[in-house]
Amino acid sequence: AIAEAGCGHMIAADLEDLDSCEGLVRDAVAKLGGLDLIVYAASASRLGLVRGLTSADWARLYAINVIGPAIVFRAALDSLAPAAICAFISSESVGMPYHGLVPYGSSKAALEELVRGMRVEHPELRFSCIRVGQTMPTDFARDFDPELAGELLPKWIALGRIPAQSMDVEEVGRVIASSLATAIANPTVELQD
């Protein structure tokens, strides 16, 4: 991404670790001098039926998909420019659960509620929650059990949840980047989810 953009800084962080979330922001502020945009696009998914998931499975999903964004935002709060944009990537599965992805969808629903709450508490900032559908190529299904995925696929098809064509990750990225760049350049533009 840095090579393609022609500039930038790479900062690695473990978003399951609260100290690492805070360190990510600290390092970004040190390199950039402040923040006018946060895009939280990291996400964790787990394929499994509710009856078979462990507390560790649930904890990991919520750590990365809900708690991580909250900690990153909190750590960034004092360094955000006036009318800064805080954007969070959510999922089309909110309100439309998939068999085997209930924990993922519920964590994204919690993220959306978090964003609504942050918007209420910080009206001086601009927030956006961007719902994304099936996009390829990504690592979303990297850790899925192929046998369980094969068993659940007919259920997803029966629900009409498998589009004829996936969105292209680079095209989605360009649309999001373009929209956010326009909003940054126009601080009075109000963002919608």
Side-chain angles (χ1 to χ4, degrees):
I2 292 170
E4 192 171 314
C7 63
H9 306 281
M10 197 282 296
I11 303 168
D14 176 357
L15 298 174
E16 282 185 88
D17 179 273
L18 302 182
D19 292 335
S20 189
C21 289
E22 291 172 348
L24 167 71
V25 173
R26 211 173 22 255
D27 291 351
V29 170
K31 289 184 184 295
L32 302 171
L35 303 171
D36 56 5
L37 171 66
I38 295 173
V39 179
Y40 193 97
S43 184
S45 60
R46 172 78 165 87
L47 184 64
L49 299 171
V50 173
R51 71 174 179 259
L53 295 171
T54 67
S55 57
D57 294 329
W58 285 93
R60 180 171 189 273
L61 287 175
Y62 274 77
I64 294 172
N65 296 349
V66 184
I67 299 169
I71 300 306
V72 166
F73 173 74
R74 183 192 70 195
L77 197 51
D78 292 337
S79 301
L80 290 170
I85 298 171
C86 302
F88 301 85
I89 305 298
S90 185
S91 169
E92 68 172 351
S93 65
V94 173
M96 295 177 26
Y98 286 68
H99 290 85
L101 290 173
V102 171
Y104 172 76
S106 69
S107 72
K108 290 300 188 171
L111 171 67
E112 291 187 14
E113 188 66 12
L114 170 66
V115 172
R116 284 189 287 275
M118 291 186 299
R119 183 181 284 134
V120 167
E121 290 185 4
H122 295 281
E124 73 280 8
L125 301 171
R126 296 179 292 164
F127 293 88
S128 183
C129 195
I130 303 165
R131 282 191 182 179
V132 177
Q134 186 173 331
T135 307
M136 294 295 190
T138 69
D139 286 338
F140 180 79
R142 176 190 61 213
D143 299 325
F144 285 8
D145 174 344
E147 188 174 317
L148 181 57
E151 177 186 320
L152 296 177
L153 184 61
K155 294 179 185 220
W156 298 346
I157 292 170
L159 291 172
R161 303 287 172 75
I162 304 297
Q165 181 177 345
S166 296
M167 294 184 291
D168 177 74
V169 72
E170 289 190 23
E171 289 175 3
V172 170
R174 279 193 295 275
V175 168
I176 291 171
S178 174
S179 299
L180 293 174
T182 299
I184 288 171
N186 298 286
T188 60
V189 170
E190 206 42 55
L191 299 174
Q192 298 296 318
D193 292 343

